[in-house]
Amino acid sequence: MDISIERNILEANDSVANELRQIFAQNKVLVLNLISSPGSGKTSLLERTLADLRNELKMGVIEGDCQTDNDARRVAATGAKAVQINTDGGCHLDSKMIKKVISDFDLADLDILFIENVGNLVCPVEFDCGEDAKIAILSVTEGDDKPEKYPRLFQLAHAMVINKVDLLDYVDFDVNKASKFGKALNKDIEIFEVSCRNNKGLENWYTWLRKQAALKKK
Amino acid sequence: MDISIERNILEANDSVANELRQIFAQNKVLVLNLISSPGSGKTSLLERTLADLRNELKMGVIEGDCQTDNDARRVAATGAKAVQINTDGGCHLDSKMIKKVISDFDLADLDILFIENVGNLVCPVEFDCGEDAKIAILSVTEGDDKPEKYPRLFQLAHAMVINKVDLLDYVDFDVNKASKFGKALNKDIEIFEVSCRNNKGLENWYTWLRKQAALKKK
């Protein structure tokens, strides 16, 4: 794409994202933008998180999808409020799309608003949605080289969730190697190793969420 | 993005893609554009294919990556000619990038030129690279709902390779359901179930490749 057009698009996006960030701050709601490849388990991680923390935290979800509202229905089945954004083939969510749907939530009543982005390890990274933090999700079946090959997300993310660790025995994935790549790109990145099938590591993820949500309330 | 800008970009891309298609036709080389999520196993499938068919077919590879030349080095280790395109964070290959590198190959001496696109189930689909066919690769760890959720690729692809079937016992993936979604989007799509770990199904994929390459030589 022409660089000046790209710059204009990103600047317009950033401007709306900054508006959103103020609104989220006024309402003291923690906003987390979940980014990963298709099939890394973003929705499964949300389903578990929403179900397991429902009595402690008030949570809502914006679901971004190219097509279908399957994920929004899965998330809504936990009892959490879920609002669908269908990008009609588009490869990422942007701040304008988020702005259109936030009035569907009672933000002042939420502790955490999750944004589940379109499954794509590249494009969503550049489009700020006003979030407090991007969360990178990487499943062990994708290979431990992904932070090295798709560095931008891992440079910017506050946390990296290594998902599907129940499959580690059956794939060639070196958790230390993936973590080392992640830390080399971003020394402050928090790393969680989890399985939504056997619950491994979820408690560490929940502890971090509780802490971030509490910090936002201060 | 503004729709008229998007249209102009795609039209410019199509025009170069059509030039490429003529060049490929003159040289009777079959060109296959491999598209999938990050970590679906495009490179592993290529490594196996290049090694197993090296005595039958002359093959080259254009490797698209956001960063690193890891995949090009893996492919070159099989003895095949591999040329790297580094998109520097870009989310897809386009026809102009392909045009820049084709002089690195002796096209008349090739039976098949594989293009391994950037790992991304969305953006590469719209950018014709002059290929004869797009090949969709889907690993069983990504979930059987992917054709339904990311339909565009499966509508356009000539073949869908369901990869990593050695992991079927450990994940919730219904091959029939994924195949049914694929066929509903595209009744002519060829479906292969393969494992690059235990060799299952590779022979069917090779038979198809041999046939397509032979048709192109006519």
Side-chain angles (χ1 to χ4, degrees):
Chain A
M1 202 193 310
D2 183 286
I3 289 170
S4 66
I5 297 173
E6 193 174 324
R7 194 187 305 128
N8 290 347
I9 291 171
L10 289 175
E11 280 175 4
N13 184 75
D14 284 351
S15 159
V16 177
N18 288 333
E19 274 180 56
L20 287 173
R21 195 167 282 109
Q22 285 188 5
I23 296 169
F24 295 146
Q26 282 155 10
N27 287 283
K28 298 188 174 183
V29 55
L30 176 72
V31 181
L32 301 176
N33 188 355
L34 274 53
I35 301 179
S36 80
S37 304
S40 300
K42 288 184 294 304
T43 315
S44 298
L45 182 68
L46 277 178
E47 283 178 310
R48 289 303 312 263
T49 302
L50 296 166
D52 292 347
L53 300 183
R54 69 204 296 173
N55 296 327
E56 296 178 53
L57 295 168
K58 283 169 278 180
M59 295 172 284
V61 180
I62 296 175
E63 274 293 339
D65 279 299
C66 290
Q67 290 290 340
T68 84
D69 62 353
N70 297 1
D71 293 352
R73 284 187 281 113
R74 284 172 61 187
V75 161
T78 67
K81 168 99 178 173
V83 173
Q84 175 77 34
I85 298 176
N86 192 312
T87 64
D88 194 24
C91 56
H92 61 271
L93 294 178
D94 66 29
S95 54
K96 257 162 103 179
M97 300 176 192
I98 302 294
K99 193 180 172 187
K100 272 192 199 158
V101 301
I102 55 166
S103 58
D104 292 352
F105 294 93
D106 180 359
L107 290 176
D109 191 47
L110 283 184
D111 297 303
I112 306 179
L113 177 63
F114 292 102
I115 298 172
E116 181 177 346
N117 222 305
V118 175
N120 183 331
L121 214 44
V122 187
C123 314
V125 183
E126 301 304 331
F127 288 83
D128 185 354
C129 291
E131 68 271 1
D132 293 285
K134 297 184 208 301
I135 311 291
I137 293 145
L138 172 65
S139 82
V140 302
T141 62
E142 293 169 61
D144 47 34
D145 59 344
K146 290 303 163 291
E148 191 189 15
K149 290 187 59 189
Y150 299 85
R152 188 80 179 131
L153 171 60
F154 299 90
Q155 282 165 350
L156 297 180
H158 287 220
M160 163 176 168
V161 178
I162 300 178
N163 195 15
K164 307 192 192 180
V165 295
D166 54 290
L167 294 175
L168 276 173
D169 285 347
Y170 313 111
V171 296
D172 299 316
F173 185 99
D174 181 335
V175 172
N176 289 332
K177 198 172 149 189
S179 304
K180 225 172 94 179
F181 281 137
K183 289 276 185 194
L185 292 164
N186 175 352
K187 69 179 173 43
D188 298 322
I189 202 166
E190 297 273 348
I191 299 177
F192 302 99
E193 301 167 33
V194 312
S195 165
C196 298
R197 287 201 130 196
N198 68 18
N199 302 340
K200 201 190 149 192
L202 285 174
E203 199 47 47
N204 293 337
W205 163 242
Y206 297 156
T207 301
W208 186 80
L209 285 179
R210 286 183 194 106
K211 189 178 153 194
Q212 302 306 314
L215 284 170
K216 194 71 193 254
K217 289 291 171 211
K218 278 191 181 163
Chain B
M1 203 191 312
D2 183 284
I3 289 172
S4 67
I5 297 172
E6 194 174 326
R7 194 188 303 128
N8 290 347
I9 292 171
L10 289 175
E11 281 174 3
N13 184 75
D14 284 350
S15 159
V16 177
N18 288 333
E19 275 179 56
L20 286 174
R21 195 167 282 107
Q22 284 189 5
I23 296 168
F24 296 147
Q26 282 157 8
N27 288 284
K28 298 188 174 184
V29 56
L30 176 71
V31 180
L32 301 176
N33 188 353
L34 275 55
I35 301 178
S36 81
S37 304
S40 299
K42 288 184 293 305
T43 315
S44 298
L45 182 68
L46 277 178
E47 284 178 310
R48 289 302 313 262
T49 303
L50 296 167
D52 291 347
L53 300 184
R54 70 202 297 173
N55 296 327
E56 296 178 53
L57 295 168
K58 281 168 280 180
M59 296 172 283
V61 180
I62 296 173
E63 274 294 339
D65 279 298
C66 290
Q67 289 291 341
T68 85
D69 61 352
N70 296 1
D71 292 352
R73 283 188 281 114
R74 284 171 61 187
V75 160
T78 67
K81 168 100 179 173
V83 174
Q84 175 76 35
I85 298 176
N86 193 312
T87 64
D88 194 25
C91 56
H92 61 271
L93 294 178
D94 66 28
S95 54
K96 256 161 104 179
M97 299 175 193
I98 302 293
K99 193 179 171 187
K100 271 193 200 157
V101 301
I102 54 166
S103 59
D104 292 351
F105 295 93
D106 180 0
L107 291 175
D109 191 48
L110 284 183
D111 298 302
I112 306 179
L113 177 63
F114 292 103
I115 298 172
E116 181 177 348
N117 221 307
V118 175
N120 183 332
L121 215 43
V122 187
C123 315
V125 184
E126 302 304 332
F127 288 83
D128 185 354
C129 291
E131 68 270 2
D132 294 284
K134 297 185 208 303
I135 312 293
I137 294 144
L138 172 64
S139 82
V140 302
T141 61
E142 293 168 61
D144 48 33
D145 59 344
K146 290 301 161 295
E148 191 189 17
K149 289 188 60 189
Y150 299 84
R152 188 79 180 133
L153 171 60
F154 299 89
Q155 282 165 350
L156 297 180
H158 288 220
M160 163 177 169
V161 178
I162 300 178
N163 196 14
K164 308 193 192 179
V165 295
D166 53 292
L167 294 175
L168 276 172
D169 285 349
Y170 313 110
V171 297
D172 298 317
F173 185 99
D174 182 335
V175 172
N176 289 331
K177 198 172 150 191
S179 304
K180 226 172 94 180
F181 280 138
K183 289 276 184 192
L185 292 163
N186 175 352
K187 69 178 171 47
D188 298 321
I189 201 165
E190 297 273 348
I191 298 177
F192 303 99
E193 301 166 32
V194 312
S195 165
C196 298
R197 286 199 131 197
N198 68 18
N199 303 339
K200 201 190 149 192
L202 286 175
E203 199 47 47
N204 294 337
W205 163 242
Y206 297 156
T207 301
W208 186 81
L209 285 178
R210 287 183 194 105
K211 190 177 153 195
Q212 302 305 314
L215 285 170
K216 194 70 193 257
K217 290 291 171 207
K218 277 188 180 164

